[in-house]
Structure formats: structure tokens, C-alpha cells
Amino acid sequence: RKEVEQDPGPFNVPEGATVAFNCTYSNSASQSFFWYRQDCRKEPKLLMSVYSSGNEDGRFTAQLNRASQYISLLIRDSKLSDSATYLCVVLNNAGNMLTFGGGTRLMVKP
Amino acid sequence: DGGITQSPKYLFRKEGQNVTLSCEQNLNHDAMYWYRQDPGQGLRLIYYSQIVNDFQKGDIAEGYSVSREKKESFPLTVTSAQKNPTAFYLCASGQGDLSGANVLTFGAGSRLTVL
């Protein structure tokens, strides 16, 4: 089993749609969780951290379920510019190593 | 502007040749990392260094070598022993504990193609 698993997609959605991605992780001692965004042929960039209580940043909402070992990302009112690959990232319990999921590709269509 | 610079951006290599990818950061970060990304895949850790003159193997270190003689620099050599070196290579840096506000900053990447 991979340490961090994501549905690779692609998720094809129309503009304005709400879309959700899930990610599961295998190490129950993992400390912190993040979503990164990666545009085609570019470097990943931090989208948001994921806090235990759930957190929201504009149209983006991230949630963590430690009991079931999954995290989620919800995007509301999708824009064309949201088209990218979203990487689920897990920090180990030592706080010095990030493990990346394979990414979920999102394509927002007009 | 503080950041990470990788060079070259694109590189072509013949089979059997070693090649060195440069990574320089002016963020004063202690830790530096090298990742490899294959098409449609996530990032896999090759090597990392948490302090000058020290580095550790990641998940896929075979066929690669690194050095960390200066805090700012963490070059990666792709040797002829690496069986499938064509990939997108990403260098990153971070400061200490990576939780919360201290996250990884990535360079723009180097795309290596073996002919």
C-alpha cells in the first residue's frame, strides 16, 4: 500500500461546479498535512495546510479525519484557473520528511 | 528576492554520461531536498540534507550522488548507474520543522532527457 494515495483523475468539471478530492495516508503517526498545487510542467506550490478542526481559505476547504486517515479538499465555484494537479502531502512524525501523493488532476471547462 | 534557483532548466544527455544539476538557495534554509517526478506521478525523494556536510538517502537514491559543502548549494549528480534517468528533477529547501508555517519552497525544476 502506498503511503499517500490519491485518485489520479482527471476530474472534468464545468465552471462554477463544486469538486472534492480525497487522500488517504497509511502512517497513523503522521504529524501534519498539506495540499500543494502543481501546474503543468511547473514546480508544486503550497495551497493550504490542513488542520484538525478543518480550515477554509476562500473557495477552498480542507478537512482532516485522523480516525479514518484521510484528508479532503473541497473547491467551490470552480474557475478555469483552478485547472491543475493537486498533491496531497503528509509530514512524518519527526517533522522533517514530506511524502507526496501521486496527485489528482482537475480540469475545469467553460 | 529570496528563492531557489535550479539549472539547467532543460538538459539532454547521452546514455553512459554523468550529469550534475545545480540547486542554489538564498533563503538561509538549513534543509535541502531533491525529488524526482515522472509523468503523471507524485514526487519521490532522492536525497536530503539537514545540515552542511551531511546528507541522507531518500527512497530512490540508487544511481544518484549529492554533496553539501555550502549551506546555499546542494548539487545532484545523475550517474550512468541510474537506469532510467529521464525525469523532472525538483530541488526544495525548508527550515527545521516543516509543520505549520515552515513549508518547503521548490525551485522551478530541471527536466533531464536521456537520448
Side-chain angles (χ1 to χ4, degrees), chain A residues 36-61:
Chain A
Y36 274 70
R37 171 191 168 129
Q38 186 175 24
D39 292 297
C40 189
R41 302 176 80 86
K42 300 283 190 181
E43 74 274 23
K45 293 185 179 177
L46 178 68
L47 178 65
M48 59 196 303
S49 302
V50 186
Y51 302 122
S52 297
S53 55
N55 49 300
E56 189 174 305
D57 183 2
R59 297 182 293 110
F60 298 84
T61 300

Side-chain angles (χ1 to χ4, degrees), chain A residues 31-32 38 43 95-97, chain B residues 33 37 45 48 50 98-99 107:
Chain A
Q31 183 185 117
S32 301
Q38 186 175 24
E43 74 274 23
N96 63 356
M97 199 65 53
Chain B
Y33 305 79
Q37 187 175 34
L45 183 65
Y48 67 101
Q50 295 186 286
L98 295 178
S99 62

